[in-house]
Amino acid sequence: MLTGIGITAGYQAPVVTDVSLTVHPGQTVGLAGPSGSGKSTVARVLALLHKPFAGTVEIDGETVTGFRFKARQRTKIGVLFQQPRLSVDPRFTLRQAIAEPGGDRVDELADLVMLTDDLLGRRPHEVSDGQLQRACLARALALKPRYLICDEMTTMLDASTTAALVGVIRAYQRESGAGVLAISHDATLLTRWADETVRLSAPLPR
């Protein structure tokens, strides 16, 4: 299980306070809430990319004791962000981006996300947002993560690309038993995709 317990986190001041949620293997948990409610902050804490002010993260029963720390724990979690163009080195081809985490499964992963050979030789500015997000998903799956965090991954995509990527993730879950945290402002998408949804409240005025 990927579990956040009593997470209070933010930057200069807390954005979320005392949030708890659990993603079981094979389960998809939705995370919803209005803009500014801290959905992405929770995602970054659970992905071990941001240290909370308070609370703990557990991965398969092991409490995380530091952030940006043990590669063994960090590689259990794949992350897919909202803006693929901020996630990929613009100098990389799509093939290089997919290969970045390591391993020799680029062709297999490209086929999984429906990227053709000619696209793999292109750089980010030469492909669409949807094609680049497909490459980011392939990269996120390269190390066969136990959990996948999708932070508004479909915001910049059309309906057909969204459906295709969700289909790839569901197939990966069936094959691997991975758990997914799906963060979205799209209530219809979460209703169709998630087994259950946690809702964050709007931030209190200061």
Side-chain angles (χ1 to χ4, degrees), residues 163-190:
L165 291 186
V166 170
V168 170
I169 292 169
R170 281 178 162 162
Y172 177 71
Q173 285 182 279
R174 288 193 297 270
E175 175 192 339
S176 67
V180 172
L181 179 65
I183 299 160
S184 181
H185 65 279
D186 186 338
T188 301
L189 175 64
L190 290 182

mmCIF file of all heavy atoms in Angstrom, residues 163-190:
data_model
loop_
_atom_site.group_PDB
_atom_site.id
_atom_site.type_symbol
_atom_site.label_atom_id
_atom_site.label_comp_id
_atom_site.label_asym_id
_atom_site.label_seq_id
_atom_site.Cartn_x
_atom_site.Cartn_y
_atom_site.Cartn_z
ATOM 1 N N ALA A 163 -8.491 8.761 -23.312
ATOM 2 C CA ALA A 163 -9.000 7.386 -23.228
ATOM 3 C C ALA A 163 -7.899 6.368 -23.500
ATOM 4 O O ALA A 163 -7.813 5.325 -22.834
ATOM 5 C CB ALA A 163 -10.151 7.202 -24.219
ATOM 6 N N ALA A 164 -7.024 6.672 -24.467
ATOM 7 C CA ALA A 164 -5.940 5.742 -24.803
ATOM 8 C C ALA A 164 -4.962 5.592 -23.638
ATOM 9 O O ALA A 164 -4.563 4.468 -23.293
ATOM 10 C CB ALA A 164 -5.205 6.229 -26.051
ATOM 11 N N LEU A 165 -4.585 6.709 -23.007
ATOM 12 C CA LEU A 165 -3.632 6.642 -21.898
ATOM 13 C C LEU A 165 -4.231 5.937 -20.697
ATOM 14 O O LEU A 165 -3.560 5.134 -20.028
ATOM 15 C CB LEU A 165 -3.159 8.042 -21.522
ATOM 16 C CG LEU A 165 -2.268 8.754 -22.547
ATOM 17 C CD1 LEU A 165 -1.756 10.067 -21.985
ATOM 18 C CD2 LEU A 165 -1.102 7.888 -22.981
ATOM 19 N N VAL A 166 -5.498 6.235 -20.386
ATOM 20 C CA VAL A 166 -6.153 5.538 -19.271
ATOM 21 C C VAL A 166 -6.223 4.042 -19.559
ATOM 22 O O VAL A 166 -6.003 3.210 -18.675
ATOM 23 C CB VAL A 166 -7.553 6.119 -19.013
ATOM 24 C CG1 VAL A 166 -8.328 5.251 -18.020
ATOM 25 C CG2 VAL A 166 -7.453 7.544 -18.465
ATOM 26 N N GLY A 167 -6.468 3.686 -20.826
ATOM 27 C CA GLY A 167 -6.491 2.271 -21.196
ATOM 28 C C GLY A 167 -5.153 1.585 -20.984
ATOM 29 O O GLY A 167 -5.090 0.444 -20.505
ATOM 30 N N VAL A 168 -4.055 2.281 -21.324
ATOM 31 C CA VAL A 168 -2.715 1.726 -21.101
ATOM 32 C C VAL A 168 -2.472 1.510 -19.607
ATOM 33 O O VAL A 168 -1.939 0.472 -19.186
ATOM 34 C CB VAL A 168 -1.642 2.658 -21.696
ATOM 35 C CG1 VAL A 168 -0.247 2.216 -21.262
ATOM 36 C CG2 VAL A 168 -1.725 2.677 -23.210
ATOM 37 N N ILE A 169 -2.862 2.479 -18.810
ATOM 38 C CA ILE A 169 -2.647 2.368 -17.364
ATOM 39 C C ILE A 169 -3.472 1.228 -16.774
ATOM 40 O O ILE A 169 -2.975 0.449 -15.947
ATOM 41 C CB ILE A 169 -2.963 3.712 -16.681
ATOM 42 C CG1 ILE A 169 -1.929 4.762 -17.083
ATOM 43 C CG2 ILE A 169 -2.987 3.554 -15.153
ATOM 44 C CD1 ILE A 169 -2.281 6.172 -16.689
ATOM 45 N N ARG A 170 -4.698 1.102 -17.206
ATOM 46 C CA ARG A 170 -5.532 0.003 -16.703
ATOM 47 C C ARG A 170 -4.938 -1.352 -17.068
ATOM 48 O O ARG A 170 -4.935 -2.289 -16.266
ATOM 49 C CB ARG A 170 -6.947 0.133 -17.270
ATOM 50 C CG ARG A 170 -7.795 1.167 -16.551
ATOM 51 C CD ARG A 170 -9.155 1.279 -17.202
ATOM 52 N NE ARG A 170 -10.125 1.919 -16.331
ATOM 53 C CZ ARG A 170 -11.257 2.441 -16.742
ATOM 54 N NH1 ARG A 170 -11.563 2.412 -18.033
ATOM 55 N NH2 ARG A 170 -12.101 2.993 -15.885
ATOM 56 N N ALA A 171 -4.421 -1.462 -18.304
ATOM 57 C CA ALA A 171 -3.794 -2.720 -18.724
ATOM 58 C C ALA A 171 -2.559 -3.008 -17.876
ATOM 59 O O ALA A 171 -2.311 -4.166 -17.488
ATOM 60 C CB ALA A 171 -3.431 -2.643 -20.212
ATOM 61 N N TYR A 172 -1.777 -1.968 -17.589
ATOM 62 C CA TYR A 172 -0.605 -2.148 -16.744
ATOM 63 C C TYR A 172 -1.018 -2.608 -15.343
ATOM 64 O O TYR A 172 -0.364 -3.469 -14.750
ATOM 65 C CB TYR A 172 0.179 -0.835 -16.659
ATOM 66 C CG TYR A 172 1.387 -0.913 -15.747
ATOM 67 C CD1 TYR A 172 2.514 -1.639 -16.118
ATOM 68 C CD2 TYR A 172 1.395 -0.285 -14.494
ATOM 69 C CE1 TYR A 172 3.616 -1.736 -15.274
ATOM 70 C CE2 TYR A 172 2.487 -0.373 -13.657
ATOM 71 C CZ TYR A 172 3.600 -1.096 -14.048
ATOM 72 O OH TYR A 172 4.684 -1.197 -13.209
ATOM 73 N N GLN A 173 -2.100 -2.042 -14.820
ATOM 74 C CA GLN A 173 -2.583 -2.467 -13.503
ATOM 75 C C GLN A 173 -2.988 -3.934 -13.506
ATOM 76 O O GLN A 173 -2.680 -4.669 -12.561
ATOM 77 C CB GLN A 173 -3.786 -1.617 -13.080
ATOM 78 C CG GLN A 173 -3.436 -0.212 -12.633
ATOM 79 C CD GLN A 173 -4.671 0.545 -12.194
ATOM 80 O OE1 GLN A 173 -5.406 1.063 -13.041
ATOM 81 N NE2 GLN A 173 -4.902 0.608 -10.908
ATOM 82 N N ARG A 174 -3.698 -4.357 -14.552
ATOM 83 C CA ARG A 174 -4.120 -5.760 -14.614
ATOM 84 C C ARG A 174 -2.917 -6.696 -14.656
ATOM 85 O O ARG A 174 -2.924 -7.768 -14.052
ATOM 86 C CB ARG A 174 -5.005 -5.986 -15.847
ATOM 87 C CG ARG A 174 -6.389 -5.377 -15.737
ATOM 88 C CD ARG A 174 -7.316 -5.889 -16.834
ATOM 89 N NE ARG A 174 -6.867 -5.514 -18.165
ATOM 90 C CZ ARG A 174 -7.229 -4.397 -18.791
ATOM 91 N NH1 ARG A 174 -8.029 -3.537 -18.194
ATOM 92 N NH2 ARG A 174 -6.783 -4.140 -20.018
ATOM 93 N N GLU A 175 -1.895 -6.271 -15.376
ATOM 94 C CA GLU A 175 -0.705 -7.119 -15.535
ATOM 95 C C GLU A 175 0.163 -7.136 -14.279
ATOM 96 O O GLU A 175 0.692 -8.183 -13.886
ATOM 97 C CB GLU A 175 0.125 -6.600 -16.707
ATOM 98 C CG GLU A 175 1.445 -7.321 -16.915
ATOM 99 C CD GLU A 175 2.356 -6.576 -17.885
ATOM 100 O OE1 GLU A 175 1.860 -5.769 -18.679
ATOM 101 O OE2 GLU A 175 3.574 -6.812 -17.817
ATOM 102 N N SER A 176 0.310 -5.973 -13.630
ATOM 103 C CA SER A 176 1.292 -5.834 -12.547
ATOM 104 C C SER A 176 0.689 -5.735 -11.152
ATOM 105 O O SER A 176 1.401 -5.882 -10.161
ATOM 106 C CB SER A 176 2.140 -4.576 -12.785
ATOM 107 O OG SER A 176 1.330 -3.409 -12.640
ATOM 108 N N GLY A 177 -0.606 -5.438 -11.062
ATOM 109 C CA GLY A 177 -1.217 -5.212 -9.752
ATOM 110 C C GLY A 177 -0.870 -3.861 -9.157
ATOM 111 O O GLY A 177 -0.990 -3.661 -7.943
ATOM 112 N N ALA A 178 -0.429 -2.919 -9.985
ATOM 113 C CA ALA A 178 -0.028 -1.606 -9.481
ATOM 114 C C ALA A 178 -1.231 -0.810 -8.987
ATOM 115 O O ALA A 178 -2.346 -0.938 -9.504
ATOM 116 C CB ALA A 178 0.680 -0.813 -10.586
ATOM 117 N N GLY A 179 -0.984 0.035 -7.992
ATOM 118 C CA GLY A 179 -1.985 0.976 -7.520
ATOM 119 C C GLY A 179 -1.793 2.318 -8.207
ATOM 120 O O GLY A 179 -0.674 2.687 -8.562
ATOM 121 N N VAL A 180 -2.889 3.054 -8.401
ATOM 122 C CA VAL A 180 -2.839 4.337 -9.101
ATOM 123 C C VAL A 180 -3.527 5.417 -8.276
ATOM 124 O O VAL A 180 -4.621 5.198 -7.737
ATOM 125 C CB VAL A 180 -3.519 4.245 -10.484
ATOM 126 C CG1 VAL A 180 -3.649 5.612 -11.133
ATOM 127 C CG2 VAL A 180 -2.727 3.318 -11.404
ATOM 128 N N LEU A 181 -2.868 6.573 -8.160
ATOM 129 C CA LEU A 181 -3.506 7.771 -7.625
ATOM 130 C C LEU A 181 -3.756 8.692 -8.811
ATOM 131 O O LEU A 181 -2.822 9.161 -9.459
ATOM 132 C CB LEU A 181 -2.611 8.464 -6.594
ATOM 133 C CG LEU A 181 -3.190 9.758 -5.996
ATOM 134 C CD1 LEU A 181 -4.442 9.466 -5.176
ATOM 135 C CD2 LEU A 181 -2.152 10.468 -5.132
ATOM 136 N N ALA A 182 -5.044 8.935 -9.116
ATOM 137 C CA ALA A 182 -5.430 9.733 -10.273
ATOM 138 C C ALA A 182 -5.965 11.075 -9.798
ATOM 139 O O ALA A 182 -7.033 11.145 -9.186
ATOM 140 C CB ALA A 182 -6.488 8.997 -11.090
ATOM 141 N N ILE A 183 -5.213 12.139 -10.064
ATOM 142 C CA ILE A 183 -5.588 13.479 -9.633
ATOM 143 C C ILE A 183 -6.185 14.217 -10.822
ATOM 144 O O ILE A 183 -5.569 14.283 -11.890
ATOM 145 C CB ILE A 183 -4.361 14.231 -9.095
ATOM 146 C CG1 ILE A 183 -3.806 13.480 -7.884
ATOM 147 C CG2 ILE A 183 -4.703 15.663 -8.713
ATOM 148 C CD1 ILE A 183 -2.386 13.810 -7.574
ATOM 149 N N SER A 184 -7.388 14.747 -10.652
ATOM 150 C CA SER A 184 -8.028 15.421 -11.766
ATOM 151 C C SER A 184 -9.124 16.353 -11.270
ATOM 152 O O SER A 184 -9.737 16.120 -10.233
ATOM 153 C CB SER A 184 -8.627 14.388 -12.735
ATOM 154 O OG SER A 184 -9.241 15.031 -13.834
ATOM 155 N N HIS A 185 -9.367 17.412 -12.047
ATOM 156 C CA HIS A 185 -10.508 18.287 -11.812
ATOM 157 C C HIS A 185 -11.718 17.797 -12.602
ATOM 158 O O HIS A 185 -12.811 18.363 -12.492
ATOM 159 C CB HIS A 185 -10.180 19.724 -12.252
ATOM 160 C CG HIS A 185 -9.955 19.836 -13.735
ATOM 161 N ND1 HIS A 185 -8.750 19.510 -14.319
ATOM 162 C CD2 HIS A 185 -10.784 20.186 -14.740
ATOM 163 C CE1 HIS A 185 -8.850 19.677 -15.631
ATOM 164 N NE2 HIS A 185 -10.067 20.086 -15.924
ATOM 165 N N ASP A 186 -11.535 16.758 -13.399
ATOM 166 C CA ASP A 186 -12.586 16.235 -14.270
ATOM 167 C C ASP A 186 -13.382 15.165 -13.528
ATOM 168 O O ASP A 186 -12.971 14.008 -13.439
ATOM 169 C CB ASP A 186 -11.942 15.658 -15.538
ATOM 170 C CG ASP A 186 -12.976 15.209 -16.579
ATOM 171 O OD1 ASP A 186 -14.133 14.942 -16.199
ATOM 172 O OD2 ASP A 186 -12.602 15.121 -17.760
ATOM 173 N N ALA A 187 -14.531 15.555 -12.984
ATOM 174 C CA ALA A 187 -15.334 14.634 -12.168
ATOM 175 C C ALA A 187 -15.813 13.433 -12.981
ATOM 176 O O ALA A 187 -15.868 12.309 -12.469
ATOM 177 C CB ALA A 187 -16.526 15.380 -11.573
ATOM 178 N N THR A 188 -16.135 13.658 -14.260
ATOM 179 C CA THR A 188 -16.611 12.560 -15.103
ATOM 180 C C THR A 188 -15.524 11.520 -15.307
ATOM 181 O O THR A 188 -15.768 10.309 -15.230
ATOM 182 C CB THR A 188 -17.079 13.101 -16.470
ATOM 183 O OG1 THR A 188 -18.122 14.047 -16.255
ATOM 184 C CG2 THR A 188 -17.599 11.978 -17.349
ATOM 185 N N LEU A 189 -14.294 11.984 -15.555
ATOM 186 C CA LEU A 189 -13.170 11.060 -15.726
ATOM 187 C C LEU A 189 -12.961 10.230 -14.468
ATOM 188 O O LEU A 189 -12.799 9.009 -14.539
ATOM 189 C CB LEU A 189 -11.897 11.846 -16.056
ATOM 190 C CG LEU A 189 -10.602 11.027 -16.142
ATOM 191 C CD1 LEU A 189 -10.661 10.029 -17.285
ATOM 192 C CD2 LEU A 189 -9.395 11.948 -16.283
ATOM 193 N N LEU A 190 -12.966 10.875 -13.300
ATOM 194 C CA LEU A 190 -12.732 10.141 -12.053
ATOM 195 C C LEU A 190 -13.859 9.158 -11.769
ATOM 196 O O LEU A 190 -13.621 8.064 -11.242
ATOM 197 C CB LEU A 190 -12.560 11.112 -10.885
ATOM 198 C CG LEU A 190 -11.272 11.942 -10.898
ATOM 199 C CD1 LEU A 190 -11.198 12.825 -9.655
ATOM 200 C CD2 LEU A 190 -10.032 11.059 -10.990
#
